[in-house]
Amino acid sequence: MKIKDLRMGIFQTDRSTCLTAVKNDGNILEYIKDQFIDEEVCLAAAEQTGYAISFVPPEYMTKKVCLAAIENYYGALDKIPLEKIDKEMCLKAVRTHEHTVQSVPRF
């Protein structure tokens, strides 16, 4: 499955196909139609590559999705809205990628 094919909508016929796609390349989340995106799809994308947090709609940016992204991408904390960040996320970010200490907000 190629990103070009997703841009054209070729593989966007059902949620299951989209879930399989993000499990192979989380960044494909950027090209998936809103009707096929839910928390499970976003979590699968974040677990595959934390950078996918950049494409997660706000309503699916749950703590679980954010923690998965933080574990897999050193810059995830910078992509998460400040109001969603909590102490657990900050600790995970620093423990996983110690140089992210500069990204930890002051509470």
Side-chain angles (χ1 to χ4, degrees):
M1 189 169 307
K2 299 176 182 167
I3 290 176
K4 178 183 136 193
D5 295 332
L6 278 160
R7 284 185 194 149
M8 293 171 54
I10 293 170
F11 292 105
Q12 295 197 50
T13 57
D14 61 65
R15 182 191 165 280
S16 177
T17 303
C18 294
L19 180 59
T20 300
V22 298
K23 285 181 178 181
N24 290 312
D25 181 353
N27 292 321
I28 286 175
L29 184 63
E30 179 181 12
Y31 304 106
I32 292 179
K33 293 177 184 175
D34 291 345
Q35 69 193 52
F36 301 125
I37 296 177
D38 59 21
E39 185 178 355
E40 183 182 11
V41 171
C42 293
L43 180 59
E47 288 174 341
Q48 199 284 322
T49 176
Y51 188 77
I53 196 74
S54 304
F55 312 117
V56 173
E59 64 269 25
Y60 299 119
M61 203 173 284
T62 63
K63 185 171 184 166
K64 192 173 184 178
V65 171
C66 291
L67 286 170
I70 289 167
E71 186 172 328
N72 293 301
Y73 174 51
Y74 67 91
L77 209 54
D78 291 329
K79 305 284 185 186
I80 299 169
L82 187 59
E83 64 272 6
K84 295 197 182 247
I85 297 174
D86 65 15
K87 186 176 180 179
E88 182 182 356
M89 289 179 200
C90 295
L91 288 172
K92 184 165 189 88
V94 173
R95 287 182 181 146
T96 307
H97 315 280
E98 54 187 63
H99 59 278
T100 61
V101 71
Q102 299 96 330
S103 298
V104 174
R106 295 182 187 262
F107 290 100

